[in-house]
Amino acid sequence: MPDLDLSPVSSEAPGEGETKEDIGLCLSGGGYRAMLFHLGVVWRLAELGYLGTAKRKGKHGKLGSLQRVSSVSGGAITAGVLGLAWDDLDVDAPGLSGRFHDHVVNPIQDFAGRTTISIASGLWAAIISTVNTKVVKVYRERLYDDATLQDLPDQPQFVINATNLQSGALWRFSKLHARDWRVGEVRNPIDSIASVVGASSAFPPFLSPARFRYAESQYTPGSGHDLQRPPFTTRPTLSDGGVYDNLGLETVFNHYKTVICSNAGGGYEAQEKIPRGWIRQSYRVAKTIDNQVRRLRKRLLISSLKTTERFGTYWSIRGDIRDYPAPDRLDCPYERTQQLANIATDLAAKDITTQRRLINWGYAMCDAGIRAWVEDGLQAPDDFPFPAEGV
């Protein structure tokens, strides 16, 4: 059996594949906060032409074109809407920004104005069914209808990540397959987008687990490494993709030369008093472990960008736009962006001003990151998408 500890991103499928001269986009988890921040990110990418099929050239070499969107939790909500709207966007035709607003911005903003799950509705859902079932129902009714993975485009490939609590590995969903490298793959899965995004955003313990059912016959023979047998195959039990990889980095880093990584995840703050109760203390321990894993992935990516082993850029909702030396950056005072970064990680309704400020902040950070580190000669934006709100 291969060593699972070779690197923070090696265990998706050790030794698999090759690095292609194309672009992979990573959208992290972080609840509604991340969903809205990433909406601004993708909006600016659309304006800069990064959703198109034309091959691009960057500061350090060939970038290729966008071939994969890897998403987790809150980022998966945005990615699901983007993927289902892809054909309507007609990404290579003039006027993309307007179509993007109609088909992606409006539905997500409408969704963000209402709470997906509250304590009260969650407790009731736990009594009659499961909390995750309730979340999936809301996703289906308000965003995705009955769309399935087969309604996503062939290119770019949209990968929505979850964590397999049984195997301890990444479980990824795409139009091509649902797979865990240890358990195996189901080709051309017909899982609903609502259920897949529900698994990716099944934050433990309240929203987790998400349970799936497959027949043993649905799996490609010999596609799993060591766990291709029931119940691993027939009843996979999944949790939030952020449990394994909150950046969505693994399915991009191993395959693409250019990595654009947008991190809207929560922060980790020093805590003076540690609770004695074992439940709250265990939660703090889990956050500490999670923080270290995230830092390892971030360090690996940034190190590879500095050495140009990979091209691309990384930014965080908690970052300082002044660290990105792009000319004519949008005005984003650090103290105000930190207020946005400190919005709770939840699926609770956000007022319209907060929504627009989060979108503006993602838009501005993406603009600065791309123009500073990825490609020269791109025109600075005239203003925020929502100028009156700023950040």
Side-chain angles (χ1 to χ4, degrees), residues 275-283:
R276 294 184 179 183
W278 66 268
I279 295 178
R280 294 176 62 199
Q281 187 180 145
S282 296
Y283 176 71

Side-chain angles (χ1 to χ4, degrees), residues 333-356:
Y334 182 70
E335 64 278 6
R336 291 169 65 176
T337 61
Q338 290 311 288
Q339 292 173 4
L340 295 173
N342 288 327
I343 291 172
T345 301
D346 57 26
L347 301 178
K350 302 292 180 282
D351 64 82
I352 191 65
T353 298
T354 299
Q355 289 183 36
R356 290 178 174 179

Side-chain angles (χ1 to χ4, degrees), residues 32 115-119 121-122 125 131 134-135 138 206-207 347-348:
Y32 276 14
T115 295
T116 292
I117 195 78
S118 64
I119 294 176
S121 63
V131 180
K134 166 68 174 178
V135 171
V138 172
F206 187 54
L207 305 183
L347 301 178

